[in-house]
Amino acid sequence: MELAVKEQLDKILSQYEGESSNLISILQAAQERFGYLPKEVMEGIAKFLRLPESTVYGVSTFYAQFKLTPTGKRIVRVCRGTACHVRGGARILSEVERRLGIKSGETTDDMEYTLETVACIGACALAPNIVIDSGTYGRMTIKKVAEIFGDRGKIKQNAS
Ligand code: FES
């Protein structure tokens, strides 16, 4: 394990007892620190809690909140709930994929964007929706996707 990673992990682990009941909290803290859960970090956590690596890996893959691969600086989520779907969500997703040059679940090579799909975000009245970081963009159209992603460096900070 890289020294810097090890130091940061040790710092996180020093705040916990080596009890297996702390697994989720430790994984959350590690993900917050590293942005995702690198393999060596999961191995370090398994060792600390005296758990098989397969257990730590199993828990990490079970919960959608944990990411096993690095994500981009900005997370783009396209809603695939029913209301968004019937109002053209699939076309919006294809257009975002085309604009970013990646498929859902992937990250751009420059590590700027990760694209995901999500279940209903509770804003069906504005369907179809996409969420960029924590901002919701409602009533999406192909044109709006072009406006938002046409110049990727200029994604508005404040969503409507
Ligand atoms: S289905 Fe997309 S917000 Fe509800």
Side-chain angles (χ1 to χ4, degrees):
M1 191 186 313
E2 226 180 275
L3 192 62
V5 174
K6 192 181 177 330
E7 268 173 20
Q8 291 175 49
L9 178 60
D10 286 348
K11 209 164 158 190
I12 292 169
L13 296 178
S14 68
Q15 291 161 26
Y16 295 89
E17 302 288 325
E19 307 277 342
S20 58
S21 57
N22 288 326
L23 176 56
I24 301 271
S25 309
I26 294 174
L27 288 172
Q28 284 168 335
Q31 175 157 292
E32 199 166 302
R33 183 68 201 83
F34 300 107
Y36 75 109
L37 296 171
K39 192 170 179 292
E40 69 263 39
V41 165
M42 287 197 283
E43 287 166 6
I45 293 171
K47 212 166 162 188
F48 175 71
L49 296 177
R50 277 177 252 106
L51 286 171
E53 283 170 22
S54 57
T55 302
V56 175
Y57 184 78
V59 169
S60 310
T61 49
F62 181 77
Y63 293 99
Q65 62 172 303
F66 295 123
K67 301 191 183 309
L68 274 57
T69 48
T71 51
K73 279 190 214 138
R74 312 197 71 170
I75 312 277
V76 179
R77 296 186 171 96
V78 179
C79 181
R80 60 174 161 71
T82 309
C84 288
H85 183 74
V86 299
R87 292 202 211 161
R91 277 194 308 125
I92 299 298
L93 175 61
S94 317
E95 186 61 11
V96 176
E97 287 180 335
R98 196 179 71 78
R99 292 267 168 192
L100 292 180
I102 51 173
K103 294 283 177 201
S104 171
E106 295 177 351
T107 297
T108 54
D109 288 344
D110 61 6
M111 300 304 289
E112 282 294 321
Y113 296 98
T114 293
L115 178 60
E116 297 176 345
T117 57
V118 282
C120 176
I121 57 163
C124 305
L126 299 176
N129 288 299
I130 69 171
V131 180
I132 301 175
D133 299 330
S134 52
T136 303
Y137 292 71
R139 297 201 175 93
M140 287 303 296
T141 58
I142 299 292
K143 191 165 165 253
K144 278 195 188 175
V145 173
E147 279 166 20
I148 294 171
F149 295 99
D151 182 349
R152 288 174 26 180
K154 288 192 182 155
I155 289 183
K156 288 176 238 143
Q157 293 299 322
N158 300 311
S160 53

